[in-house]
Amino acid sequence: EVQLVQSGAEVKKPGESLRISCRGSGYRFTTYWISWVRQMPGKGLEWMGRIDPSDSYTDYSPSFQGHVAVSADKSISTAYLQWSSLKASDTAMYYCASGHGSSDPFDYWGQGTLVTVSS
Amino acid sequence: QSVLTQPPSVSAAPGQKVTISCSGSSSNIGNNYVSWYQHLPGTAPKLLIYENNKRPSGIPDRFSGSKSGTSATLGITGLQTGDEADYYCGTWDSSLSAVVFGGGTKLTVL
C-alpha cells in the first residue's frame, strides 16, 4: 500500500527557517514525482512545486518560485519542503501528493502538516 | 483568484443529483486532462475522477466526470450526507507550467 507520511505540526516565529518532510512507503520512491500543495486557512488548494526523486529535478509554480525549496533524499524515501525565512502569510496546511505521472492527478496524499507562523 | 472557476457552493437534498462546474481556458482544461478531488475537513484530499471521466478503484459510480471544450463537470447522484465536502477540479496549465486548481465548491446535502 502506497503511503505518504508527513512530519508533525510546527509553530514558528517570523524570520525562522523550517523544513517539513514527507516519507513515502509501499512503493519504489524514485518512481513517482512528489508535489507539494498549500491550503491557507479558509482557502483552496494551491500547487507549489514538485520533485522527481530519481534525479532531484524540481520545478515550481510561478507563485512560489524563490519562496520555497523542494528537495528529496532517495536513500530514506523522503521529500522535503523548506523555507529560509518564514512569514506570517506562510501559515497554512501543507500536503505532499503523488501519482503515477509527474503531476496531476494525485492518487496519493500525505496527511498534511500544519505550519503556524506567529510572533 | 484561481485560474479555474468553480461555483463557491452547491446544495441538494439526500438522494438527489448535483453537478459542479469548472471553467478554464485553452491553456489548461482545453488541452489537458481534468481531475476532481473530494476534501473532507481534517482529512487529506481524495482523488475522485482522473483523465476527465475515469474513476480510481474504490470510487463509486455515483461520481462521474465530463469535459467539453474549456469546461468540465463533476456529477454526483444519490447524494448522501457523507458527501458533504469541498470539491476541487485540477489540471495542468501549459502556459504557467503548473498544476492549477479551481477555488473549490462546498457541497451541502440538505
Side-chain angles (χ1 to χ4, degrees):
Chain A
E1 177 193 9
V2 173
Q3 283 193 314
L4 298 176
V5 179
Q6 298 184 227
S7 49
E10 301 274 2
V11 179
K12 291 289 191 178
K13 293 182 177 354
E16 291 186 332
S17 63
L18 174 64
R19 188 177 76 170
I20 62 176
S21 66
C22 170
R23 184 177 180 278
S25 64
Y27 70 104
R28 181 178 294 180
F29 185 69
T30 53
T31 303
Y32 303 147
W33 293 55
I34 295 232
S35 284
W36 287 93
V37 176
R38 181 177 79 174
Q39 185 175 36
M40 298 177 73
K43 302 298 184 181
L45 304 176
E46 300 174 274
W47 184 78
M48 303 174 71
R50 62 183 175 174
I51 187 165
D52 178 353
S54 67
D55 62 6
S56 289
Y57 170 83
T58 57
D59 60 7
Y60 300 88
S61 163
S63 300
F64 292 91
Q65 179 81 47
H67 297 288
V68 296
V70 176
S71 61
D73 184 340
K74 59 186 178 183
S75 70
I76 54 171
S77 301
T78 300
Y80 302 98
L81 178 65
Q82 184 170 337
W83 295 261
S84 59
S85 180
L86 287 161
K87 303 175 182 178
S89 57
D90 293 317
T91 295
M93 181 72 82
Y94 293 88
Y95 296 98
C96 60
S98 188
H100 297 281
S102 60
S103 63
D104 174 72
F106 301 119
D107 299 79
Y108 314 110
W109 293 75
Q111 82 277 20
T113 296
L114 180 62
V115 174
T116 303
V117 183
S118 175
S119 54
Chain B
Q1 295 287 59
S2 301
V3 173
L4 305 180
T5 301
Q6 297 180 233
S9 63
V10 295
S11 61
Q16 296 301 303
K17 173 183 177 178
V18 71
T19 60
I20 298 173
S21 61
C22 176
S23 178
S25 67
S26 58
S27 67
N28 41 66
I29 293 178
N31 284 285
N32 294 288
Y33 287 125
V34 177
S35 302
W36 288 91
Y37 301 88
Q38 178 191 61
H39 194 194
L40 294 158
T43 70
K46 179 180 182 180
L47 179 65
L48 291 177
I49 298 289
Y50 68 100
E51 291 183 4
N52 303 332
N53 56 17
K54 298 178 181 177
R55 284 177 287 106
S57 174
I59 301 299
D61 58 7
R62 299 190 299 110
F63 296 91
S64 64
S66 64
K67 184 182 108 169
S68 178
T70 59
S71 293
T73 301
L74 172 70
I76 312 173
T77 60
L79 279 171
Q80 303 172 1
T81 55
D83 296 331
E84 286 202 335
D86 295 320
Y87 292 84
Y88 295 89
C89 55
T91 188
W92 181 257
D93 188 294
S94 305
S95 294
L96 297 173
S97 293
V99 174
V100 291
F101 292 104
T105 298
K106 183 175 181 60
L107 169 63
T108 301
V109 181
L110 302 168

